[in-house]
Amino acid sequence: MNPILHKIVETKKSEIKVSRGKTLPDRQVPIHDWKSHLKTNSVSVIAECKKGSPSAGILRSDYDPVAIAKQYEESGAGAISVLTDESFFYGSLRDMESVAKVVSLPVIRKDFIIDPVQIDEAYAYGASAILLIVRILSTSELKTLHDHANRLGLAVLVETHNEGEVNVALEIGANTIGINTRDLDTFQIHKNLIEEIAPKLDKSIIRVAESGIEKFEDWQKYKGMIDSMLVGTFFMKSKNIPADFQSLLNGSNATQSQ
């Protein structure tokens, strides 16, 4: 495991010990259906609220997840991903809760989930879905967490980085599989990964392309292979999210460099 990823997971273990002693709030929002928003006649967008990352630093100094989420919904996003990790990605559960209260879309908790208490938090703070990363979990852990989320009525995006991890995801019954082209060990982008893996997945699976999508051409070659794409950094660097959202979908000129 990459040293940064190892450090993140170890930090999560410490955070979870503290979380176990906290009383969770009552959920304030409905669970929004995941499949109907992502499995459409066209490629849907899971648009991400992310202030920064360990590799990129602060991406958006004027980060306002609620304002960003409203722009995403108005632009036609199928779902909204919110980074809730505080120590490395500058997010919080409160960010996610605030977003979930103002949109009528599924909101996914994007974090390094390794314990059921984190899923209970996701439910309490308004998530309709969670992310599980195969790379940081054993098969039995993955299944336990996947099943726990499903019992709460939450959808699960299972993130994979190679064909072996996809097979693990299928083994535990995942019906939404993310293919992340960013290698978690080297942080390099392997754009051919989706073309190698996605066509092998049954079309009943919600197939999500993750990382490295910054322009229309980046995902056009995946049409027919994927149902959705998760896009974060591209939007976080944008000076005009609605315009760049349409440029990504339709191939018009982007505004980021203007």
Side-chain angles (χ1 to χ4, degrees):
M1 189 184 295
N2 176 280
I4 295 176
L5 185 58
H6 177 76
K7 185 177 181 180
I8 291 172
V9 172
E10 290 304 308
T11 301
K12 287 295 154 191
K13 291 177 181 178
S14 298
E15 293 174 357
I16 288 164
K17 290 178 182 178
V18 177
S19 297
R20 292 192 195 283
K22 294 182 178 179
T23 300
L24 294 174
D26 293 329
R27 185 183 178 99
Q28 300 294 314
V29 298
I31 292 176
H32 296 286
D33 184 66
W34 179 253
K35 184 175 181 179
S36 64
H37 283 86
L38 297 189
K39 196 84 167 173
T40 64
N41 292 327
S42 59
V43 175
S44 61
V45 177
I46 304 172
E48 191 158 86
C49 296
K50 175 174 65 174
K51 184 175 182 177
S53 72
S55 58
I58 298 295
L59 291 167
R60 197 174 187 90
S61 57
D62 61 340
Y63 182 69
D64 182 343
V66 169
I68 292 166
K70 288 179 178 179
Q71 291 183 70
Y72 284 158
E73 183 169 34
E74 291 168 0
S75 298
I80 297 175
S81 167
V82 181
L83 262 294
T84 59
D85 174 76
E86 296 187 31
S87 300
F88 299 89
F89 288 84
Y90 318 99
S92 72
L93 282 165
R94 292 296 180 186
D95 285 349
M96 186 184 72
E97 182 182 44
S98 298
V99 168
K101 286 180 176 179
V102 299
V103 299
S104 298
L105 298 174
V107 173
I108 180 169
R109 181 181 188 184
K110 183 86 174 287
D111 211 316
F112 298 83
I113 294 177
I114 58 174
D115 190 279
V117 71
Q118 295 168 284
I119 300 174
D120 295 336
E121 290 173 340
Y123 177 85
Y125 284 89
S128 293
I130 63 162
L131 176 80
L132 293 178
I133 304 170
V134 175
R135 182 69 57 89
I136 65 174
L137 299 164
S138 68
T139 301
S140 61
E141 289 170 336
L142 180 66
K143 180 167 177 53
T144 295
L145 295 171
H146 186 275
D147 292 351
H148 184 69
N150 285 169
R151 281 193 295 271
L152 292 174
L154 303 181
V156 182
L157 169 58
V158 179
E159 181 174 294
T160 65
H161 299 83
N162 56 51
E163 193 164 351
E165 292 181 1
V166 170
N167 290 335
V168 171
L170 293 172
E171 181 183 333
I172 62 97
N175 56 25
T176 304
I177 294 179
I179 304 168
N180 193 335
T181 60
R182 186 182 301 281
D183 190 296
L184 285 183
D185 290 327
T186 66
F187 297 117
Q188 292 182 326
I189 296 290
H190 300 288
K191 289 194 174 184
N192 293 336
L193 193 64
I194 291 168
E195 294 168 283
E196 293 169 4
I197 294 176
K200 299 176 184 178
L201 293 174
D202 190 273
K203 290 189 177 181
S204 64
I205 302 289
I206 301 172
R207 302 155 297 175
V208 181
E210 298 182 53
S211 296
I213 298 173
E214 297 183 335
K215 57 184 184 294
F216 180 71
E217 292 76 15
D218 285 338
W219 67 271
Q220 273 292 289
K221 58 186 175 182
Y222 306 148
K223 287 186 73 174
M225 302 179 195
I226 63 170
D227 302 293
S228 189
M229 52 180 166
L230 193 154
V231 183
T233 300
F234 173 74
F235 291 139
M236 290 300 91
K237 291 181 176 180
S238 172
K239 295 181 176 67
N240 186 331
I241 288 175
D244 280 338
F245 197 104
Q246 296 309 315
S247 79
L248 183 68
L249 288 181
N250 303 317
S252 55
N253 292 330
T255 66
Q256 291 198 38
S257 60
Q258 298 178 6

